[in-house]
Amino acid sequence: MHTKFLTVFTALASLCITLLLVSCTPKTGAPGYDLYLLIGQSNMAGRAPLGDEASAPNARVMMLVENGQWALAKDPLHFDKPGAGIGPGLSFGKAMAALDDTAMIGLIPAAAGGSPIAAWAPGAYHDQTDSHPYDDAVEHARLAMKLGTLKGILWHQGESDANAETTPLYQENLMNLAANLRRDLGAPNVPFIVGGLGEFILERQAEAAQINAVLEDVSNFIPHAGFVSAKGLTDMGDGVHFSAQSARALGRLYGRKMQTLSHYKLVWADEFNSGDMPDPEKWNYRTGDGCPKLCSFGNGEWQWYGDAEPKNSRIENGRLIIEARKEKAGNADYTSARLNSRYKGDWLYGRFEIRAKMPSGRGTWPAIWMLPTDMSYGEWPKSGEIDIMEHVGHRPDEISGTVHTESFNHMIATHKGRHLAFTGSEEGFHIYGIDWTAQKIDFSIDDE
């Protein structure tokens, strides 16, 4: 099997990307429970009504109860208020158990409904729950760690801080929370995953969008952290709390993100945070228009791809900008840039993540894709191609992911892929990724 390199190009467009590559690493750790600390406010605790058969327990998912003993995990997991119900914790625990049929999952419920992030400082008191949320969470986690290893921390909170007074302090408080927990639990690299606020919150609380933006950006200011989006999830009718179905979906999203952070190790990345131009140690330029061998690169592309020229490719504010311009060069009326990592970043299997914002306008065709380092099985399509993401300007609310081989390719209309309805790719940054193993390739947008 041959390795592949990454190619990024845009047709008549500008594109900003951040690239992350990870590869699989074996699970290790002390025997006993794989422990997960569940903290935050009421949407972590869960408020959806009980009684649904989907909440049935799993024999390998346990919970730490109020008396410090272990019991089979079932909803409600948390005991912060009398109204506790179905939350994301149990479905998260089941998702983690499904990844390893030998693992025993230990959930440590410690949410405090209605708590602002200030209540999660060491020594702080929360009157609604008559508790010290941070101190109690640390105490429960330490007790649990006598019988297992802390594998992750899940945080869902922010509604109580969506106001003019506390919103500006939220990022700093979140950084402090993660640092304090990792220090006090002796787990400096434990994954810290935050959940986004529900759209029903964003619609009625003006500052909630600012809180959500901080949460979404968490991996840029807290090491080994991740974000799961609540986009599309619904409330239980009160405009505040996730429905049972949405709470469980959120738990599964936490599980996917935890899998990424826990079961992979970073082997290559470019965050575009130094210099004015792409790093020549990591990136090559493909120049010209493909002629005479393959004019317009077989796609009817109207641009001439230039070398390392700032007008077409540059680094600005931690982003790679690829810009198409209407100007003559070679035999073309437009210029742009096309970069690849061939012989500088070549991999076989792993997880690939690219955070990118799409351009807008008809005629654009940004893509992030992979080709073989060496055409071991012959020229395209015999050696294959993986299109992680393509966005065509005349279909702005659609993202495509495709695999091409000799038997399955677009030239003979047999290619394997999917056109996904997806809005917002031109308005903001999203994470486009694949999980590539010997058996399959899974495509995702924002971990979904």
Side-chain angles (χ1 to χ4, degrees):
M1 188 67 179
H2 50 264
T3 60
K4 292 185 182 291
F5 65 89
L6 190 74
T7 296
V8 183
F9 80 95
T10 180
L12 312 187
S14 62
L15 174 69
C16 310
I17 72 164
T18 297
L19 175 70
L20 171 69
L21 171 69
V22 291
S23 67
C24 190
T25 186
K27 178 183 173 181
T28 60
Y33 290 114
D34 287 353
L35 302 172
Y36 298 95
L37 179 61
L38 315 179
I39 56 175
Q41 56 182 109
S42 57
N43 270 316
M44 176 58 75
R47 294 293 187 260
L50 302 174
D52 193 308
E53 63 180 18
S55 291
N58 180 307
R60 292 189 294 109
V61 182
M62 307 293 286
M63 61 185 286
L64 190 71
V65 297
E66 285 184 275
N67 62 7
Q69 300 298 310
W70 289 100
L72 199 62
K74 63 179 182 179
D75 288 316
L77 294 182
H78 297 258
F79 36 84
D80 59 319
K81 290 182 178 180
I86 296 173
L90 183 55
S91 61
F92 165 79
K94 291 178 178 180
M96 299 311 296
L99 295 175
D100 182 351
D101 59 12
T102 67
M104 287 294 296
I105 307 300
L107 303 176
I108 310 166
S115 56
I117 198 169
W120 289 89
Y125 174 74
H126 182 233
D127 57 354
Q128 286 189 35
T129 54
D130 189 23
S131 67
H132 295 81
Y134 180 88
D135 297 346
D136 294 344
V138 169
E139 179 183 354
H140 296 155
R142 286 174 174 167
L143 178 62
M145 289 168 71
K146 293 179 180 180
L147 294 177
T149 303
L150 186 65
K151 296 289 187 175
I153 300 171
L154 274 60
W155 171 257
H156 198 285
Q157 191 276 342
E159 298 92 338
S160 292
D161 287 282
N163 58 72
E165 181 179 354
T166 60
T167 292
L169 307 175
Y170 195 79
Q171 179 171 322
E172 181 179 357
N173 286 334
L174 191 62
M175 292 172 62
N176 291 337
L177 173 63
N180 291 338
L181 286 168
R182 287 170 168 172
R183 179 198 65 215
D184 293 342
L185 295 175
N189 298 311
V190 68
F192 183 81
I193 302 179
V194 306
L197 303 184
E199 292 176 306
F200 45 88
I201 297 290
L202 302 179
E203 290 169 357
R204 66 181 183 81
Q205 290 183 248
E207 290 84 2
Q210 298 174 50
I211 296 287
N212 211 53
V214 171
L215 295 168
E216 187 172 358
D217 198 44
V218 67
S219 62
N220 288 324
F221 60 85
I222 296 178
H224 214 43
F227 168 80
V228 295
S229 172
K231 184 178 180 179
L233 302 183
T234 59
D235 67 283
M236 54 184 268
D238 62 354
V240 178
H241 300 108
F242 291 112
S243 66
Q245 182 179 9
S246 289
R248 294 191 193 99
L250 183 62
R252 291 189 290 271
L253 292 173
Y254 271 111
R256 288 193 62 177
K257 178 59 73 172
M258 187 63 69
Q259 179 188 15
T260 299
L261 292 181
S262 301
H263 291 252
Y264 292 92
K265 66 178 179 180
L266 181 67
V267 297
W268 193 94
D270 195 341
E271 302 295 342
F272 306 112
N273 52 14
S274 63
D276 299 321
M277 294 293 292
D279 185 351
E281 296 297 315
K282 294 180 176 179
W283 298 102
N284 310 298
Y285 284 86
R286 181 75 183 271
T287 60
D289 60 1
C291 292
K293 184 178 181 181
L294 188 64
C295 290
S296 299
F297 293 99
N299 295 313
E301 299 169 31
W302 290 2
Q303 65 276 4
W304 178 273
Y305 290 116
D307 208 338
E309 300 181 44
K311 65 179 181 178
N312 293 126
S313 63
R314 58 191 178 275
I315 305 299
E316 289 182 3
N317 302 317
R319 298 170 180 175
L320 168 63
I321 309 296
I322 298 178
E323 180 177 329
R325 302 171 65 90
K326 184 173 175 55
E327 59 183 5
K328 287 189 175 294
N331 297 316
D333 293 327
Y334 300 87
T335 62
S336 186
R338 177 171 176 154
L339 288 78
N340 68 58
S341 64
R342 192 179 190 186
Y343 298 123
K344 298 176 180 180
D346 308 78
W347 312 277
L348 176 64
Y349 309 139
R351 178 171 176 84
F352 301 79
E353 290 185 350
I354 301 90
R355 184 171 181 263
K357 179 181 178 182
M358 298 299 108
S360 60
R362 293 181 65 88
T364 62
W365 186 10
I368 301 164
W369 48 300
M370 303 180 76
L371 286 173
T373 303
D374 301 300
M375 296 291 184
S376 303
Y377 306 126
E379 292 298 317
W380 192 96
K382 292 181 179 180
S383 292
E385 174 183 327
I386 303 172
D387 298 328
I388 298 174
M389 183 285 306
E390 291 183 277
H391 178 267
V392 182
H394 68 272
R395 298 196 298 268
D397 296 328
E398 183 178 286
I399 294 291
S400 301
T402 314
V403 174
H404 299 277
T405 68
E406 182 176 14
S407 298
F408 301 98
N409 65 80
H410 73 277
M411 299 296 290
I412 55 177
T414 58
H415 55 289
K416 297 294 185 180
R418 183 179 178 186
H419 302 293
L420 178 68
F422 184 76
T423 58
S425 63
E426 299 175 358
E427 285 73 44
F429 285 85
H430 297 275
I431 297 174
Y432 303 93
I434 62 168
D435 287 279
W436 179 23
T437 69
Q439 291 75 37
K440 63 178 181 176
I441 302 172
D442 289 326
F443 291 77
S444 63
I445 302 176
D446 293 333
D447 289 306
E448 298 182 42

